[in-house]
């Protein structure tokens, strides 16, 4: 049984720590209102992130910008009807907490041809809470992932119209995840098979799933931290004339290394059932002390990206911009997790490599802004962001869909050297819903099958531990941003 829990702990860490490749775009209140464009725009200190080369075009000596975004997201899951048509679909809605990505940018321009700056932001993250007792609890109950980034940056003008820039991205993160060790409910086909297999080993064992009903029997809670990874953010900008500018950026892949994580085993809040589980675990060889002391090690890739941008200023009051971003999500093709003894650093259990098979994606962004008055600028934008996840690997940790978003925002300048930025965005899926499945292994059933085989039970009497979790998903989000900037 020790192997059961270590295997599930590894699977939980592998699936949760990366959270379906969720990339955060809300890193500027100004640009949130303009569809997140900015590669070919002169954004003063905010260019440190959008295009380091543009920071040297700053029009003041000092520029500071700070802000926060609240993301209120919601996902729904609807089960697929069975072949008889008699089973009614089940509907579940996530209860996510509001995510709050932050940013802060500072840029200093001591010379007309050079600037230096520093950025802090949260470019990757995810938050999802389905509750403890929903049908997909064996995949995820709740997850929270955050990645933090600090980027010192320098930018140079090579000539009047051409500049280059670069920064070191120093990124680290943390995650917490909860998932059930077993599917939920006595009517689940694999639970029936597992209970039958356990009763073959011990005919006196009561049916734990019937006793629990639609409640979760056991869960694993994991927390972990990733060490700092270092990459680069490089950019070029060609400010062709007063009307046109072109920009390009490259952000390198980062490998987030997780060396250890704490594991918490949680039992059902029912004394009788907990007692039955407590009697079962020793029979199967579980040592809770070794479970909680096991060390989980893995590397989690954050993908590289290339972005091309163009901005157009037909008249001084108007500016339009387009960005095309190519994200190399194929870096997340597989995930290798190692479970090690913390004292000897030797494998406790060999975990097979987990296939993810992510695909590279394109994101198209368009925005415009109108300088209506000296103290007021209005913005609108939209973007389309492809999903990297195949339908046959669609996981409820973060139901990944091609995103279609619309944004709007305004900037107020109460005094010459200060601006207040406000933005709103509505993010929906390009399709009304997405149907997909995710292959998973009921590891407890697999281990019990091994015991039955060793006891002489024919393989024909065993149930395969491999199954798919399928359904229809929708996802949507509202974003609210506020920021403040100072130039002097």
């Amino acid at each position: 049984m020790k192997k059961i829990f270590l295997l599930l702990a590894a699977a939980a860490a592998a699936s949760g720590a990366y959270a379906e490749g969720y990339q955060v775009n809300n890193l500027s209140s100004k640009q949130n209102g303009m569809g997140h464009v900015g590669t070919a725009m002169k954004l003063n200190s905010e260019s440190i992130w959008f295009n380091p080369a543009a920071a040297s075009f700053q029009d003041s000596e000092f520029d500071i910008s700070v802000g926060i975004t609240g993301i209120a997201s919601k996902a729904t899951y609807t089960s697929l009807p069975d072949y008889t048509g008699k089973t009614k679909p089940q509907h579940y809605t996530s209860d996510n907490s509001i995510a709050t990505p932050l940013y802060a940018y500072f840029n200093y321009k001591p010379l007309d041809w050079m600037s230096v700056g520093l950025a802090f932001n949260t470019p990757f993250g995810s938050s999802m809470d389905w509750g403890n007792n929903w049908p997909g609890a064996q995949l995820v109950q709740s997850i929270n992932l955050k990645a933090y980034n600090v980027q010192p940056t320098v930018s140079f003008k090579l000539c009047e119209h051409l500049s280059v820039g670069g920064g070191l991205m120093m990124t680290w993160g943390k995650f917490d995840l909860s998932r059930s060790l077993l599917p939920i409910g006595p009517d689940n086909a694999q639970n029936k098979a597992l209970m039958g297999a356990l009763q073959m080993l011990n005919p006196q064992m009561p049916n734990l799933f019937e006793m629990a009903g639609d409640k979760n029997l056991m869960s694993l809670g994991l927390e972990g931290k990733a060490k700092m990874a270092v990459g680069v953010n490089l950019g070029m900008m060609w400010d062709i004339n007063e009307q046109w500018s072109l920009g390009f950026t490259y952000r390198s892949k980062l490998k987030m290394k997780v060396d250890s994580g704490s594991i918490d085993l949680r039992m059902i809040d029912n004394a009788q059932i907990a007692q039955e589980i407590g009697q079962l675990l020793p029979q199967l060889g579980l040592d809770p002390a070794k479970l909680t002391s096991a060390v989980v090690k893995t590397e989690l890739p954050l993908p590289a990206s290339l972005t091309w941008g163009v901005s157009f200023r037909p008249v001084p009051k108007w500016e339009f911009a387009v960005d095309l971003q190519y994200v190399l999500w194929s870096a997340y093709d597989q995930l290798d997790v190692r479970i090690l003894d913390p004292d000897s650093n030797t494998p406790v259990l060999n975990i097979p490599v987990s296939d993810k098979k992510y695909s590279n994606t394109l994101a198209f962004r368009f925005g415009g802004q109108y300088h209506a008055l000296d103290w007021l600028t209005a913005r609108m934008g939209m973007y389309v962001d492809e999903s990297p996840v195949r339908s046959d690997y669609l996981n409820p940790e973060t139901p990944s869909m091609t995103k279609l978003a619309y944004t709007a925002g305004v900037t107020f300048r109460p005094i010459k050297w200060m601006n207040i930025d406000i933005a709103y965005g509505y993010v929906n899926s390009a399709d009304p819903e997405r149907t997909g499945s995710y292959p998973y292994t009921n590891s407890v059933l697999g281990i019990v099958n091994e015991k039955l085989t060793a006891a002489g039970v024919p393989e024909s009497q065993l149930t395969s531990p491999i199954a798919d979790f399928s359904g229809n998903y929708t996802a949507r989000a509202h974003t609210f941003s506020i920021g403040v900037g100072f130039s002097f």
Side-chain angles (χ1 to χ4, degrees), residues 384-395:
V384 180
D385 193 353
E386 286 185 309
S387 168
V389 182
R390 290 169 31 171
S391 293
D392 54 348
Y393 283 87
L394 185 60
N395 194 308

Side-chain angles (χ1 to χ4, degrees), residues 241-296:
N241 52 42
E242 292 184 357
Q243 286 77 41
W244 293 93
S245 297
L246 300 177
F248 170 77
T249 62
Y250 166 75
R251 297 191 188 107
S252 64
K253 181 176 75 172
L254 299 172
K255 288 187 177 181
M256 305 292 288
K257 293 185 178 181
V258 178
D259 284 337
S260 63
S262 62
I263 303 173
D264 180 25
L265 179 62
R266 304 163 185 167
M267 298 290 186
I268 187 172
D269 187 17
N270 181 300
Q272 181 182 0
I273 301 176
Q275 183 179 3
E276 294 288 349
I277 296 174
Q279 294 173 356
L280 169 64
L281 298 185
Q283 299 175 28
L284 298 176
L286 174 65
D287 184 348
K290 290 204 172 182
L291 168 66
T292 55
S293 64
V295 175
V296 180

Side-chain angles (χ1 to χ4, degrees), residues 20 42 51 57 60 72 150 167 185 232-233 257 265 355 378 423 459 463:
E20 295 289 327
K42 303 169 187 176
N51 186 347
F57 284 95
S60 63
V150 171
V232 295
N233 181 3
K257 293 185 178 181
L265 179 62
D355 289 330
E459 186 175 344
T463 301

Side-chain angles (χ1 to χ4, degrees), residues 370-388:
Y370 175 58
H371 301 286
L373 301 166
D374 289 341
W375 57 271
L376 177 67
T377 299
R379 300 180 182 88
M380 293 189 70
M382 61 85 64
Y383 67 86
V384 180
D385 193 353
E386 286 185 309
S387 168

